[in-house]
C-alpha cells in the first residue's frame, strides 16, 4: 500500500516522494469511529470492524501534512475506500476494489 500512497500523492497534488519520507500506521477501528466528513462510505457498506491504514507525509517546505488512507476488511483485506486528506480536509477519495 505504501507504493499506492506514493502514487496517489503524486497523481493528486504532483508531489514526488519516496518511502523514507512517510510514516504509517494500521489500526483496527469500529465503523462508528470513522469520521463521515472524511471517510466517504456508508455504514451499511462496512462491517462492524475495519482496518484503517494511514500513510502520513509532511512537506518540510510548506509544513502541510498529507494523509493517504485505505479502509479494508480486517480478515479478507478487501478494500472499501481510499482517500487523500490535506491538512485534515478530504481532497480526493475512491470507493470499491477497482484499484490495480
Amino acid at each position: 500500500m505504501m507504493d499506492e500512497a506514493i502514487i496517489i500523492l503524486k497523481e493528486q497534488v504532483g508531489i514526488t516522494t519516496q518511502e523514507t519520507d512517510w510514516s504509517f500506521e494500521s489500526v483496527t477501528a469500529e465503523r462508528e469511529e470513522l469520521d463521515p466528513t472524511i471517510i466517504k462510505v456508508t455504514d451499511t457498506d462496512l462491517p462492524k470492524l475495519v482496518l484503517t491504514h494511514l500513510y502520513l507525509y509532511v512537506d518540510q517546505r510548506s509544513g502541510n501534512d498529507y494523509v493517504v488512507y485505505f479502509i479494508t476488511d480486517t480478515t479478507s483485506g478487501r478494500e472499501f475506500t481510499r482517500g487523500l486528506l490535506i491538512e485534515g480536509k478530504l481532497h480526493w477519495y475512491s470507493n470499491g476494489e477497482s484499484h490495480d
Side-chain angles (χ1 to χ4, degrees):
M1 284 186 195
M2 172 68 76
D3 291 340
E4 293 176 63
I6 291 170
I7 291 167
I8 289 169
L9 188 65
K10 174 70 173 168
E11 288 178 349
Q12 295 303 314
V13 293
I15 297 174
T16 301
T17 60
Q18 55 190 9
E19 281 189 36
T20 55
D21 297 328
W22 294 78
S23 57
F24 62 93
E25 174 180 50
S26 294
V27 178
T28 302
E30 291 187 12
R31 69 176 171 233
E32 291 80 19
E33 294 178 281
L34 302 176
D35 184 343
T37 62
I38 59 175
I39 307 295
K40 297 295 183 183
V41 66
T42 63
D43 283 352
T44 57
D45 294 337
L46 297 176
K48 184 170 176 59
L49 289 176
V50 294
L51 192 55
T52 62
H53 307 277
L54 306 171
Y55 295 84
L56 171 66
Y57 168 71
V58 177
D59 186 325
Q60 296 302 313
R61 286 180 284 157
S62 69
N64 290 343
D65 64 84
Y66 301 84
V67 175
V68 176
Y69 67 80
F70 302 89
I71 308 295
T72 64
D73 186 79
T74 57
T75 54
S76 71
R78 176 179 166 241
E79 184 178 306
F80 298 109
T81 188
R82 57 175 57 188
L84 169 63
L85 308 175
I86 301 175
E87 293 293 305
K89 292 183 173 57
L90 184 62
H91 175 79
W92 171 88
Y93 75 96
S94 177
N95 292 336
E97 292 188 87
S98 60
H99 315 291
D100 294 328

